[in-house]
Amino acid sequence: MPLICFASPKGGVGKTTLTANIADALQRLGHRVLAVDLDAQNALRLHFGVPLTDRGGFVSELLQGNADWRSHLRQTPSGVLLLPHGAMDLRGALDLAAALDRDPELLGKPLREMLAEPNLVVLADLPPGPSQALALLAPLATMVIGVLQAEAISAALVPEIESGRFLGTGTMAALLAGRLRVVLNGVDLSSRLSRASAEAVARHLGFRMLGAMSREETVAESLACQRLLLDHAPESRAASDLKEVARLISAALPPTMAATPPTPEAALAPSAAPLPQQPTVEASR
Ligand SMILES: Nc1ncnc2c1ncn2[C@@H]1O[C@H](COP(=O)(O)OP(=O)(O)OP(=O)(O)O)[C@@H](O)[C@H]1O
Ligand SMILES: [Mg+2]
Protein backbone atom coordinates (compact mmCIF):
# COMPACT_ATOMS: atom_id res chain seq x y z
CA MET A 1 0.00 0.00 0.00
CA PRO A 2 1.19 3.55 -0.62
CA LEU A 3 3.94 5.12 1.45
CA ILE A 4 4.40 8.89 1.38
CA CYS A 5 7.55 10.20 3.09
CA PHE A 6 8.15 13.78 4.22
CA ALA A 7 11.84 14.65 4.17
CA SER A 8 14.17 17.61 3.67
CA PRO A 9 17.88 18.36 3.60
CA LYS A 10 17.22 21.31 5.95
CA GLY A 11 15.53 21.26 9.36
CA GLY A 12 12.59 23.29 10.64
CA VAL A 13 10.89 23.63 7.24
CA GLY A 14 7.50 22.12 8.14
CA LYS A 15 7.84 18.35 7.57
CA THR A 16 6.08 17.38 10.78
CA THR A 17 3.39 20.02 10.34
CA LEU A 18 2.69 18.80 6.81
CA THR A 19 2.77 15.10 7.72
CA ALA A 20 0.17 15.58 10.45
CA ASN A 21 -2.12 17.93 8.57
CA ILE A 22 -1.95 16.14 5.23
CA ALA A 23 -2.69 12.88 7.07
CA ASP A 24 -5.80 14.59 8.46
CA ALA A 25 -6.76 16.06 5.06
CA LEU A 26 -6.36 12.66 3.35
CA GLN A 27 -8.49 11.04 6.05
CA ARG A 28 -11.19 13.65 5.39
CA LEU A 29 -11.02 12.77 1.68
CA GLY A 30 -11.99 9.23 2.63
CA HIS A 31 -8.62 7.48 2.90
CA ARG A 32 -7.63 5.31 5.81
CA VAL A 33 -4.38 6.84 7.04
CA LEU A 34 -1.52 5.79 9.31
CA ALA A 35 0.95 8.53 10.34
CA VAL A 36 4.32 7.20 11.52
CA ASP A 37 6.86 9.30 13.39
CA LEU A 38 10.45 8.29 12.57
CA ASP A 39 12.07 11.37 14.08
CA ALA A 40 13.51 11.15 17.61
CA GLN A 41 12.08 14.63 18.34
CA ASN A 42 8.85 12.68 18.87
CA ALA A 43 6.80 15.74 17.87
CA LEU A 44 4.26 14.34 15.41
CA ARG A 45 2.04 13.19 18.26
CA LEU A 46 1.60 16.76 19.52
CA HIS A 47 -0.36 17.73 16.39
CA PHE A 48 -2.84 14.97 17.22
CA GLY A 49 -3.43 16.00 20.82
CA VAL A 50 -1.27 13.37 22.53
CA PRO A 51 -0.13 14.91 25.82
CA LEU A 52 3.53 15.86 26.33
CA THR A 53 3.67 13.52 29.31
CA ASP A 54 2.74 10.55 27.11
CA ARG A 55 6.20 9.40 26.02
CA GLY A 56 5.49 5.93 24.68
CA GLY A 57 6.01 4.94 21.07
CA PHE A 58 7.09 2.50 18.42
CA VAL A 59 10.70 3.31 17.40
CA SER A 60 11.90 3.89 20.96
CA GLU A 61 10.80 0.32 21.81
CA LEU A 62 12.61 -1.36 18.91
CA LEU A 63 15.80 -1.83 20.93
CA GLN A 64 13.81 -3.53 23.68
CA GLY A 65 12.92 -6.12 21.04
CA ASN A 66 9.33 -4.88 20.73
CA ALA A 67 8.80 -4.62 16.97
CA ASP A 68 5.04 -5.20 17.33
CA TRP A 69 3.96 -1.87 15.84
CA ARG A 70 0.28 -2.71 16.26
CA SER A 71 0.63 -2.59 20.04
CA HIS A 72 1.74 1.08 19.78
CA LEU A 73 -1.05 2.28 17.49
CA ARG A 74 -3.17 5.20 18.66
CA GLN A 75 -6.58 5.98 17.28
CA THR A 76 -6.60 9.79 17.22
CA PRO A 77 -9.79 11.90 17.39
CA SER A 78 -9.17 12.92 13.75
CA GLY A 79 -9.58 9.29 12.70
CA VAL A 80 -5.92 9.07 11.65
CA LEU A 81 -4.03 6.13 13.13
CA LEU A 82 -0.81 7.28 14.76
CA LEU A 83 2.46 5.56 15.61
CA PRO A 84 4.38 7.96 17.85
CA HIS A 85 8.17 7.64 17.82
CA GLY A 86 8.47 7.52 21.60
CA ALA A 87 10.90 9.45 23.78
CA MET A 88 14.60 8.59 23.59
CA ASP A 89 17.71 9.92 25.28
CA LEU A 90 21.03 10.39 23.49
CA ARG A 91 22.35 6.96 24.52
CA GLY A 92 19.20 5.28 23.24
CA ALA A 93 19.37 7.16 19.93
CA LEU A 94 23.04 6.23 19.40
CA ASP A 95 22.40 2.60 20.32
CA LEU A 96 19.45 2.42 17.96
CA ALA A 97 21.48 3.97 15.12
CA ALA A 98 24.20 1.34 15.65
CA ALA A 99 21.62 -1.48 15.80
CA LEU A 100 19.98 -0.27 12.56
CA ASP A 101 23.38 -0.13 10.88
CA ARG A 102 23.94 -3.77 11.79
CA ASP A 103 20.40 -4.87 11.02
CA PRO A 104 18.19 -2.53 8.96
CA GLU A 105 15.45 -5.19 9.13
CA LEU A 106 14.81 -4.12 12.71
CA LEU A 107 12.80 -1.28 11.16
CA GLY A 108 12.40 -2.71 7.65
CA LYS A 109 10.29 -5.69 8.71
CA PRO A 110 7.61 -3.79 10.66
CA LEU A 111 7.49 -1.16 7.92
CA ARG A 112 6.82 -3.76 5.26
CA GLU A 113 4.08 -5.21 7.49
CA MET A 114 2.44 -1.78 7.67
CA LEU A 115 2.64 -1.45 3.89
CA ALA A 116 1.05 -4.89 3.49
CA GLU A 117 -2.10 -3.67 5.28
CA PRO A 118 -4.88 -3.34 2.71
CA ASN A 119 -6.37 0.10 2.01
CA LEU A 120 -4.00 1.93 4.30
CA VAL A 121 -2.06 5.02 3.20
CA VAL A 122 1.10 5.33 5.31
CA LEU A 123 2.62 8.77 5.86
CA ALA A 124 6.09 8.94 7.43
CA ASP A 125 7.64 11.97 9.13
CA LEU A 126 11.44 11.82 8.84
CA PRO A 127 14.24 13.64 10.64
CA PRO A 128 15.98 16.52 8.82
CA GLY A 129 18.91 15.63 6.53
CA PRO A 130 20.16 12.17 5.67
CA SER A 131 19.06 9.41 8.04
CA GLN A 132 18.92 5.65 8.25
CA ALA A 133 15.14 5.91 8.18
CA LEU A 134 15.22 7.85 4.89
CA ALA A 135 17.70 5.37 3.33
CA LEU A 136 15.39 2.52 4.35
CA LEU A 137 12.10 4.13 3.34
CA ALA A 138 12.98 5.91 0.07
CA PRO A 139 13.13 2.68 -2.01
CA LEU A 140 9.74 1.61 -0.57
CA ALA A 141 8.08 4.99 -1.07
CA THR A 142 5.36 5.79 -3.59
CA MET A 143 6.26 9.45 -3.23
CA VAL A 144 8.93 11.33 -1.31
CA ILE A 145 7.80 14.85 -0.53
CA GLY A 146 10.79 17.13 -0.16
CA VAL A 147 9.72 20.10 1.93
CA LEU A 148 11.44 23.40 1.22
CA GLN A 149 10.86 26.92 2.43
CA ALA A 150 10.56 29.98 0.27
CA GLU A 151 13.93 31.46 1.24
CA ALA A 152 17.47 31.56 -0.08
CA ILE A 153 19.00 28.51 1.62
CA SER A 154 16.15 26.22 0.60
CA ALA A 155 16.36 27.55 -2.96
CA ALA A 156 20.09 26.73 -2.95
CA LEU A 157 19.24 23.15 -1.91
CA VAL A 158 17.01 22.51 -4.94
CA PRO A 159 19.81 20.82 -6.97
CA GLU A 160 20.47 18.52 -4.00
CA ILE A 161 16.83 17.50 -3.97
CA GLU A 162 16.23 17.14 -7.69
CA SER A 163 19.40 15.11 -8.36
CA GLY A 164 18.19 12.51 -5.84
CA ARG A 165 21.61 12.77 -4.10
CA PHE A 166 19.67 13.46 -0.98
CA LEU A 167 18.00 10.02 -1.27
CA GLY A 168 20.77 7.78 -2.55
CA THR A 169 23.93 7.50 -4.61
CA GLY A 170 24.72 6.73 -8.26
CA THR A 171 22.03 4.90 -10.23
CA MET A 172 19.90 4.51 -7.11
CA ALA A 173 19.82 8.31 -6.69
CA ALA A 174 18.62 8.69 -10.28
CA LEU A 175 15.93 6.02 -9.76
CA LEU A 176 14.66 7.53 -6.53
CA ALA A 177 14.69 11.10 -7.90
CA GLY A 178 11.70 10.11 -10.06
CA ARG A 179 9.43 9.74 -7.05
CA LEU A 180 10.38 13.05 -5.52
CA ARG A 181 7.90 15.94 -5.35
CA VAL A 182 8.39 19.26 -3.60
CA VAL A 183 6.09 21.25 -1.36
CA LEU A 184 7.18 24.81 -0.78
CA ASN A 185 6.12 25.79 2.71
CA GLY A 186 5.99 29.16 4.40
CA VAL A 187 5.34 31.27 1.31
CA ASP A 188 4.71 34.89 2.31
CA LEU A 189 3.16 36.72 -0.63
CA SER A 190 3.68 40.08 1.09
CA SER A 191 7.45 39.55 1.16
CA ARG A 192 9.33 40.34 -2.05
CA LEU A 193 12.08 37.83 -1.23
CA SER A 194 9.72 35.01 -0.30
CA ARG A 195 7.63 35.54 -3.42
CA ALA A 196 10.68 35.77 -5.69
CA SER A 197 12.29 32.61 -4.30
CA ALA A 198 8.98 30.72 -4.49
CA GLU A 199 8.50 31.76 -8.12
CA ALA A 200 12.08 30.82 -9.01
CA VAL A 201 11.79 27.38 -7.38
CA ALA A 202 8.40 26.73 -9.06
CA ARG A 203 9.73 27.74 -12.48
CA HIS A 204 12.76 25.52 -12.04
CA LEU A 205 10.94 22.44 -10.73
CA GLY A 206 7.94 22.48 -13.05
CA PHE A 207 5.67 19.45 -12.55
CA ARG A 208 7.88 18.20 -9.71
CA MET A 209 6.51 20.98 -7.53
CA LEU A 210 3.42 19.53 -5.92
CA GLY A 211 2.21 22.64 -4.14
CA ALA A 212 2.84 25.61 -1.93
CA MET A 213 1.62 26.51 1.52
CA SER A 214 1.36 30.04 2.81
CA ARG A 215 3.12 31.28 5.95
CA GLU A 216 0.45 31.95 8.54
CA GLU A 217 0.19 32.42 12.24
CA THR A 218 -2.74 29.97 12.32
CA VAL A 219 -0.39 27.11 11.39
CA ALA A 220 1.92 27.68 14.37
CA GLU A 221 -1.10 28.45 16.57
CA SER A 222 -2.76 25.15 15.71
CA LEU A 223 0.32 23.28 16.97
CA ALA A 224 0.40 25.41 20.13
CA CYS A 225 -3.24 24.38 20.73
CA GLN A 226 -2.42 20.77 19.80
CA ARG A 227 -5.05 20.89 17.12
CA LEU A 228 -5.02 20.11 13.43
CA LEU A 229 -5.20 23.07 11.08
CA LEU A 230 -8.47 21.99 9.44
CA ASP A 231 -10.10 22.01 12.88
CA HIS A 232 -8.37 25.15 14.15
CA ALA A 233 -8.60 27.46 11.13
CA PRO A 234 -10.63 25.73 8.40
CA GLU A 235 -11.22 28.97 6.47
CA SER A 236 -7.58 30.07 6.37
CA ARG A 237 -5.53 30.31 3.20
CA ALA A 238 -3.09 27.74 4.66
CA ALA A 239 -5.99 25.30 5.16
CA SER A 240 -7.04 25.70 1.56
CA ASP A 241 -3.40 25.21 0.40
CA LEU A 242 -3.23 22.09 2.51
CA LYS A 243 -6.44 20.64 1.05
CA GLU A 244 -5.11 21.23 -2.47
CA VAL A 245 -1.85 19.38 -1.73
CA ALA A 246 -3.83 16.50 -0.17
CA ARG A 247 -6.11 16.38 -3.24
CA LEU A 248 -3.10 16.07 -5.55
CA ILE A 249 -1.56 13.33 -3.38
CA SER A 250 -4.89 11.50 -3.35
CA ALA A 251 -5.10 11.74 -7.14
CA ALA A 252 -1.59 10.31 -7.48
CA LEU A 253 -2.36 7.21 -5.39
CA PRO A 254 -2.90 3.90 -7.18
CA PRO A 255 -6.50 3.52 -8.49
CA THR A 256 -7.23 0.79 -5.92
CA MET A 257 -6.74 3.47 -3.26
CA ALA A 258 -9.51 5.74 -4.57
CA ALA A 259 -10.88 7.83 -1.76
CA THR A 260 -14.30 6.89 -0.45
CA PRO A 261 -15.86 9.97 1.12
CA PRO A 262 -17.29 8.97 4.49
CA THR A 263 -21.08 8.60 4.48
CA PRO A 264 -23.09 9.14 7.69
CA GLU A 265 -23.66 5.35 7.80
CA ALA A 266 -19.93 4.64 7.42
CA ALA A 267 -19.13 7.11 10.18
CA LEU A 268 -21.37 5.15 12.54
CA ALA A 269 -20.36 1.69 11.36
CA PRO A 270 -17.46 -0.09 13.07
CA SER A 271 -14.29 0.01 10.95
CA ALA A 272 -13.92 -2.86 8.51
CA ALA A 273 -10.19 -2.65 9.21
CA PRO A 274 -8.36 -5.82 10.16
CA LEU A 275 -6.20 -3.82 12.58
CA PRO A 276 -6.81 -4.64 16.24
CA GLN A 277 -8.43 -2.20 18.65
CA GLN A 278 -6.10 0.65 19.47
CA PRO A 279 -6.11 2.86 22.53
CA THR A 280 -7.60 6.25 21.77
CA VAL A 281 -5.64 9.41 22.46
CA GLU A 282 -8.26 10.36 25.03
CA ALA A 283 -7.83 7.02 26.78
CA SER A 284 -4.10 7.57 27.04
CA ARG A 285 -4.45 10.91 28.81
N1 LIG B 1 3.12 27.44 6.88
C1 LIG B 1 3.53 27.77 8.09
N2 LIG B 1 3.24 28.99 8.61
C2 LIG B 1 3.65 29.33 9.86
N3 LIG B 1 4.37 28.53 10.67
C3 LIG B 1 4.69 27.30 10.21
C4 LIG B 1 4.30 26.86 8.91
N4 LIG B 1 4.75 25.59 8.75
C5 LIG B 1 5.39 25.26 9.87
N5 LIG B 1 5.37 26.27 10.76
C6 LIG B 1 5.97 26.31 12.10
O1 LIG B 1 7.37 26.12 11.92
C7 LIG B 1 7.90 25.34 12.99
C8 LIG B 1 8.67 24.15 12.42
O2 LIG B 1 7.74 23.29 11.79
P1 LIG B 1 7.96 21.72 11.81
O3 LIG B 1 8.26 21.23 13.19
O4 LIG B 1 6.79 21.11 11.12
O5 LIG B 1 9.26 21.59 10.91
P2 LIG B 1 10.15 20.28 10.66
O6 LIG B 1 10.66 20.38 9.27
O7 LIG B 1 9.38 19.07 11.01
O8 LIG B 1 11.32 20.50 11.71
P3 LIG B 1 12.49 19.43 12.06
O9 LIG B 1 13.45 19.46 10.90
O10 LIG B 1 13.08 19.99 13.32
O11 LIG B 1 11.83 18.11 12.23
C9 LIG B 1 6.74 24.96 13.88
O12 LIG B 1 6.67 25.86 14.96
C10 LIG B 1 5.52 25.14 12.97
O13 LIG B 1 4.35 25.48 13.71
MG1 LIG C 1 9.92 17.51 12.28
Side-chain angles (χ1 to χ4, degrees):
M1 289 296 126
L3 169 66
I4 319 277
C5 298
F6 290 78
S8 67
K10 186 176 183 297
V13 291
K15 294 177 294 298
T16 304
T17 304
L18 286 171
T19 308
N21 286 291
I22 288 177
D24 176 43
L26 284 172
Q27 169 85 25
R28 289 171 192 245
L29 285 175
H31 294 285
R32 191 160 157 264
V33 183
L34 168 62
V36 185
D37 191 353
L38 294 169
D39 184 350
Q41 292 182 68
N42 195 24
L44 185 62
R45 76 199 204 286
L46 302 176
H47 292 265
F48 291 98
V50 176
L52 259 180
T53 47
D54 183 340
R55 295 161 58 83
F58 161 61
V59 181
S60 60
E61 289 281 312
L62 280 177
L63 268 188
Q64 274 69 58
N66 184 359
D68 177 16
W69 56 277
R70 287 181 177 81
S71 67
H72 298 291
L73 276 175
R74 310 290 177 89
Q75 178 75 64
T76 68
S78 64
V80 172
L81 291 166
L82 172 70
L83 268 184
H85 182 286
M88 269 189 136
D89 60 13
L90 178 64
R91 185 73 263 157
L94 294 174
D95 288 349
L96 179 63
L100 283 173
D101 251 351
R102 283 192 303 274
D103 180 16
E105 274 300 279
L106 197 59
L107 186 55
K109 184 169 176 288
L111 274 169
R112 282 199 309 279
E113 283 174 19
M114 289 170 213
L115 297 181
E117 280 289 330
N119 302 318
L120 190 67
V121 183
V122 181
L123 266 60
D125 180 27
L126 290 153
S131 64
Q132 288 161 311
L134 180 59
L136 207 74
L137 265 67
L140 300 173
T142 315
M143 189 187 286
V144 178
I145 297 187
V147 183
L148 290 178
Q149 288 225 338
E151 39 81 36
I153 294 179
S154 281
L157 287 169
V158 168
E160 195 60 26
I161 292 227
E162 64 179 347
S163 64
R165 276 196 301 273
F166 147 71
L167 299 174
T169 51
T171 306
M172 199 59 178
L175 285 177
L176 297 178
R179 53 190 80 171
L180 206 104
R181 293 291 178 272
V182 169
V183 171
L184 207 50
N185 184 31
V187 180
D188 179 356
L189 291 177
S190 67
S191 150
R192 233 163 24 124
L193 180 59
S194 177
R195 196 179 186 128
S197 30
E199 282 171 2
V201 171
R203 211 176 305 120
H204 184 84
L205 287 173
F207 75 94
R208 288 166 297 176
M209 184 153 150
L210 188 66
M213 173 124 164
S214 84
R215 169 169 301 281
E216 256 177 34
E217 189 75 359
T218 52
V219 180
E221 260 172 29
S222 65
L223 171 59
C225 306
Q226 287 202 265
R227 296 183 75 200
L228 291 156
L229 184 64
L230 295 182
D231 287 327
H232 180 71
E235 304 304 327
S236 61
R237 181 195 282 261
S240 117
D241 293 340
L242 180 74
K243 285 193 272 189
E244 176 60 8
V245 173
R247 191 187 63 75
L248 291 169
I249 294 174
S250 175
L253 294 177
T256 49
M257 296 298 298
T260 48
T263 60
E265 298 78 32
L268 292 173
S271 164
L275 291 172
Q277 284 295 306
Q278 303 87 29
T280 61
V281 167
E282 281 88 355
S284 70
R285 281 172 196 262

